[in-house]
């Protein structure tokens, strides 16, 4: 396999840090758990090194690459595979129906595997979390982002990204990856995170809370974390929530008035919201 096109200039602006460790490529594909029954979406295939490992395991792979200059190399490196479609597009702008049409029906339960371009990691994760066709994601991200995704209440990494991920999925950091495994070498280490999306309506079936409206819930969560070092009571009051109601709700939830945004779990926030609707 050719690694790079002739005179290829890596584009820092597109987050082009390619994996050069063959064992790592196989490990990521193994850890994603994909089988010959699976439809796989890869965002940013680069030179196709990970794509080949995915094609070896999946029923069908669709790979979306923004950089036109990589397409000839990708096609050449993947020419032996009949189960791959390459689309030259910006994933952020692409109509998801174009991706869906590349998979034979039924198309639910798409698994995403990607070494994400670092400059749009969070927006891509948000899109994938909210996309009902995506059931699992195995994503390489910067280690610092991975720590925020899998954080637990009370720590400095715990925040809006953690809660957004928890809302839609169970998350697990599968491996930490040294910056030496990439070319060009990035400044920081990376990590692979696995996301298993909750089935729609899972909370209702567990008989816990009525699944709250995402927008209302995250308006409350964003207001809570807007002044993260302040007491939650003050942050929410400053954001326009009624002080007495917040104080009453926090006491009902078993917290004292000094509690901060990072101390509440997702279920605590869902419960807190019920006092305002
Ligand atoms: N998959 C390869 C690997 O693991 O070695 C390359 C991963 S590299 C970190 C990120 C890739 O995403 C690059 O090939 C880059 O051109 C591509 N990319 C960047 N922004 C993109 C976007 N908006 N849509 C699709 N691909 C994008």
């Amino acid at each position: 396999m050719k690694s790079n096109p002739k005179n290829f200039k890596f584009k820092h602006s597109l987050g082009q840090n390619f994996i050069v460790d063959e064992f790592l490529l196989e490990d990521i594909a193994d850890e994603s758990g994909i089988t010959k029954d699976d439809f796989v979406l890869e965002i940013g295939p680069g030179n196709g090194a990970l794509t080949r490992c995915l094609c070896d395991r999946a029923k069908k792979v669709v790979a979306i690459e923004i950089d036109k200059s990589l397409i000839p190399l990708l096609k050449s490196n993947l020419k032996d595979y009949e189960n791959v479609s390459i689309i030259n597009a910006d994933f952020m702008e692409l109509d998801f129906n174009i991706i869906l049409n590349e998979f034979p029906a039924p198309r639910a339960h798409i698994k995403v595997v990607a070494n994400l371009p670092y400059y749009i990691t969070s927006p891509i994760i948000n899109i994938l979390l909210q996309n009902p066709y995506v059931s699992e994601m195995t994503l390489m991200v910067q280690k610092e982002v991975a720590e925020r995704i899998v954080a637990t209440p009370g720590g400095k990494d715990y925040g809006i990204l953690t809660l957004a991920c928890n809302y839609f999925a169970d998350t697990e950091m599968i491996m930490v990856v040294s910056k030496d495994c990439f070319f060009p070498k990035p400044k920081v280490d990376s990590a692979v995170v696995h996301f298993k999306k909750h089935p729609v309506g899972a909370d209702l079936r567990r008989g816990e809370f009525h699944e709250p409206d995402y927008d209302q819930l995250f308006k409350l969560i964003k207001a809570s974390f807007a002044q993260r070092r302040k007491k939650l009571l003050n942050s929410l009051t400053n954001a326009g929530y009624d002080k007495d109601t917040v104080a009453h709700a926090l006491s009902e939830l078993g917290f004292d008035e000094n509690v901060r945004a990072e101390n509440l779990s997702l279920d605590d926030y869902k419960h807190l919201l019920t006092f305002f609707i």
Side-chain angles (χ1 to χ4, degrees):
M1 187 181 107
K2 280 187 260 158
S3 296
N4 302 313
K6 263 190 190 159
N7 304 323
F8 183 71
K9 283 202 171 50
F10 286 91
K11 297 174 188 74
H12 182 67
S13 61
L14 291 180
Q16 291 180 342
N17 301 98
F18 292 0
I19 299 173
V20 289
D21 182 319
E22 287 290 330
F23 294 108
L24 174 61
L25 292 165
E26 296 291 339
D27 277 356
I28 295 171
D30 283 344
E31 291 289 346
S32 69
I34 54 179
T35 70
K36 277 287 168 205
D37 291 328
D38 285 325
F39 293 152
V40 175
L41 167 64
E42 186 188 8
I43 301 161
N47 61 1
L50 179 59
T51 324
R52 287 162 59 105
C53 300
L54 301 175
C55 289
D56 283 335
R57 290 162 175 81
K59 182 168 192 170
K60 168 91 197 208
V61 178
V62 176
I64 317 293
E65 174 56 56
I66 195 172
D67 187 350
K68 198 174 170 185
S69 69
L70 282 167
I71 302 300
L73 177 77
L74 260 177
K75 287 192 172 154
S76 154
N77 284 340
L78 298 170
K79 66 179 182 320
D80 295 336
Y81 293 95
E82 288 179 356
N83 61 340
V84 62
S85 299
I86 300 162
I87 299 177
N88 178 209
D90 177 348
F91 176 74
M92 301 300 293
E93 301 291 326
L94 188 61
D95 176 352
F96 204 80
N97 286 313
I98 294 176
I99 296 172
L100 284 182
N101 287 337
E102 293 295 327
F103 294 115
R107 303 179 181 104
H109 307 305
I110 293 170
K111 296 185 177 176
V112 180
V113 184
N115 171 17
L116 289 181
Y118 71 93
Y119 74 105
I120 40 172
T121 301
S122 294
I124 291 180
I125 290 175
N126 274 319
I127 289 174
L128 297 175
L129 286 172
Q130 299 196 39
N131 185 310
Y133 292 98
V134 173
S135 62
E136 288 183 39
M137 295 119 73
T138 306
L139 305 176
M140 174 93 76
V141 299
Q142 290 187 331
K143 183 166 166 263
E144 166 265 326
V145 176
E147 283 163 349
R148 284 165 48 210
I149 291 170
V150 303
T152 47
K156 69 172 175 38
D157 295 321
Y158 184 79
I160 298 169
L161 179 63
T162 323
L163 287 157
C165 293
N166 287 349
Y167 183 87
F168 291 103
D170 290 331
T171 58
E172 185 189 359
M173 201 193 299
I174 297 172
M175 58 178 119
V176 173
V177 179
S178 160
K179 49 184 177 284
D180 296 329
C181 296
F182 303 87
F183 186 84
K185 191 164 148 175
K187 290 199 175 74
V188 294
D189 290 335
S190 294
V192 178
V193 180
H194 186 257
F195 298 72
K196 181 142 182 55
K197 301 263 289 278
H198 304 145
V200 177
D203 274 14
L204 293 178
R205 282 200 296 280
R206 286 204 308 265
E208 293 175 7
F209 306 103
H210 175 70
E211 192 57 36
D213 177 73
Y214 177 86
D215 291 336
Q216 269 184 319
L217 180 65
F218 277 83
K219 186 170 166 246
L220 175 74
I221 289 174
K222 281 177 188 161
S224 303
F225 280 93
Q227 297 157 300
R228 146 171 214 132
R229 295 316 311 153
K230 289 206 160 154
K231 292 177 190 173
L232 181 56
L233 179 63
N234 292 338
S235 300
L236 287 177
T237 308
N238 291 345
Y241 291 86
D242 177 67
K243 188 169 187 173
D244 291 341
T245 312
V246 178
H248 168 69
L250 291 178
S251 123
E252 288 284 306
L253 265 69
F255 294 109
D256 67 33
E257 292 197 355
N258 295 321
V259 69
R260 294 178 199 278
E262 72 246 32
N263 299 116
L264 273 68
S265 69
L266 182 65
D267 278 350
D268 291 330
Y269 278 108
K270 288 180 181 177
H271 205 157
L272 182 58
L273 182 66
T274 62
F275 290 84
F276 297 97
I277 47 181

